[in-house]
Amino acid sequence: MTEENKNNIKELTKKLLLEIGENPNREGLLKTPHRVAKAWDYLSKGYKQDISTLINNAVFKEEYDQMVLVKDIEFYSMCEHHLLPFFGYAHIAYIPDGKIIGLSKIPRILDMFARRLQVQERMTQEVADMLNETLNPKGVAVILEAQHMCMQMRGVEKKNSYMSTSAMHGIFRDDDKTRKEFLDIIKLEKKF
Ligand code: ZN
């Protein structure tokens, strides 16, 4: 984000404060426009990230052909309908076909898509598609489970409901047994 972008966000935030009936000049709010601009700079980082820099050669040739699964990866995103947070856990699996990816890159790919305005459905698909394109694996499965502040703090105010979305490619889509194995593992209790 450029300095100009940040300055514009500061101005917009001052206006927002006025419009909701606040006084942007009272002490507690003086630095709020500055903080909001900084926060949005961070929350929108994903727009400028580029997949090849992010992966940075961490794709390796490997003959392992069983399921690789990372579960309970925390993520935080912003819903594009209300500009309110949604956050939760991602469970991501793939079955390699000659290539594996450095494990730390999976949460980074997730964050690249989370740090944008999103709808959970699209984000799930984008993560699955990106892994599919990058690794050409036998299959990819992504499940996101999230709580949406736009649903919990306003509107229907259902604080215990969460949303689950999934996207599958290849063998996870075509083979019931593989999909079931994935779903059984992600249902297991957290151990640490
Ligand atoms: Zn929303």
Side-chain angles (χ1 to χ4, degrees), residues 113-179:
F113 291 110
R115 288 179 188 142
R116 303 175 184 193
L117 298 186
Q118 278 291 5
V119 295
Q120 185 180 326
E121 296 89 333
R122 185 177 68 234
M123 185 175 146
T124 313
Q125 192 69 51
E126 283 174 338
V127 173
D129 292 351
M130 185 54 80
L131 277 168
N132 204 40
E133 280 165 36
T134 308
L135 296 174
N136 256 310
K138 289 183 180 143
V140 176
V142 176
I143 288 191
L144 302 187
E145 297 175 304
Q147 298 179 285
H148 289 247
M149 289 304 109
C150 61
M151 190 170 169
Q152 300 189 345
M153 296 177 66
R154 55 165 288 289
V156 288
E157 293 196 4
K158 293 286 175 256
K159 71 175 162 52
N160 292 318
S161 57
Y162 68 93
M163 177 167 162
S164 173
T165 46
S166 70
M168 314 256 171
H169 281 298
I171 193 165
F172 288 96
R173 198 173 188 135
D174 304 334
D175 180 46
D176 292 349
K177 249 178 73 189
T178 308
R179 186 168 55 244

Side-chain angles (χ1 to χ4, degrees), residues 1-187:
M1 196 179 272
T2 65
E3 280 312 301
E4 193 189 348
N5 293 145
K6 279 188 228 167
N7 285 331
N8 289 338
I9 292 176
K10 284 186 209 172
E11 287 311 308
L12 290 167
T13 306
K14 270 186 219 164
K15 281 185 195 150
L16 176 68
L17 289 170
L18 277 171
E19 294 301 327
I20 64 168
E22 263 294 354
N23 168 13
N25 294 317
R26 74 176 170 85
E27 205 188 342
L29 292 178
L30 275 179
K31 286 194 170 163
T32 298
H34 171 76
R35 293 189 198 99
V36 170
K38 246 177 102 177
W40 276 102
D41 183 28
Y42 185 81
L43 298 172
S44 63
K45 269 200 318 201
Y47 287 115
K48 286 156 307 216
Q49 281 176 310
D50 151 76
I51 188 68
S52 54
T53 325
L54 188 145
I55 290 174
N56 189 23
N57 301 324
V59 172
F60 312 102
K61 272 192 197 147
E62 186 58 62
E63 290 317 308
Y64 182 79
D65 65 354
Q66 305 296 313
M67 192 182 302
V68 179
L69 192 154
V70 194
K71 64 177 239 172
D72 301 325
I73 318 168
E74 266 180 82
F75 72 86
Y76 298 87
S77 189
M78 300 294 277
C79 103
E80 69 184 24
H81 300 138
H82 303 91
L83 306 189
L84 286 171
F86 69 95
F87 54 88
Y89 294 96
H91 316 293
I92 300 174
Y94 69 97
I95 296 180
D97 189 14
K99 280 193 278 182
I100 58 166
I101 187 167
L103 211 55
S104 69
K105 301 300 179 188
I106 291 178
R108 296 225 177 114
I109 291 174
L110 178 70
D111 283 342
M112 179 174 87
F113 291 110
R115 288 179 188 142
R116 303 175 184 193
L117 298 186
Q118 278 291 5
V119 295
Q120 185 180 326
E121 296 89 333
R122 185 177 68 234
M123 185 175 146
T124 313
Q125 192 69 51
E126 283 174 338
V127 173
D129 292 351
M130 185 54 80
L131 277 168
N132 204 40
E133 280 165 36
T134 308
L135 296 174
N136 256 310
K138 289 183 180 143
V140 176
V142 176
I143 288 191
L144 302 187
E145 297 175 304
Q147 298 179 285
H148 289 247
M149 289 304 109
C150 61
M151 190 170 169
Q152 300 189 345
M153 296 177 66
R154 55 165 288 289
V156 288
E157 293 196 4
K158 293 286 175 256
K159 71 175 162 52
N160 292 318
S161 57
Y162 68 93
M163 177 167 162
S164 173
T165 46
S166 70
M168 314 256 171
H169 281 298
I171 193 165
F172 288 96
R173 198 173 188 135
D174 304 334
D175 180 46
D176 292 349
K177 249 178 73 189
T178 308
R179 186 168 55 244
K180 189 173 179 306
E181 186 188 343
F182 169 67
L183 295 172
D184 285 347
I185 297 173
I186 66 170
K187 264 187 269 167

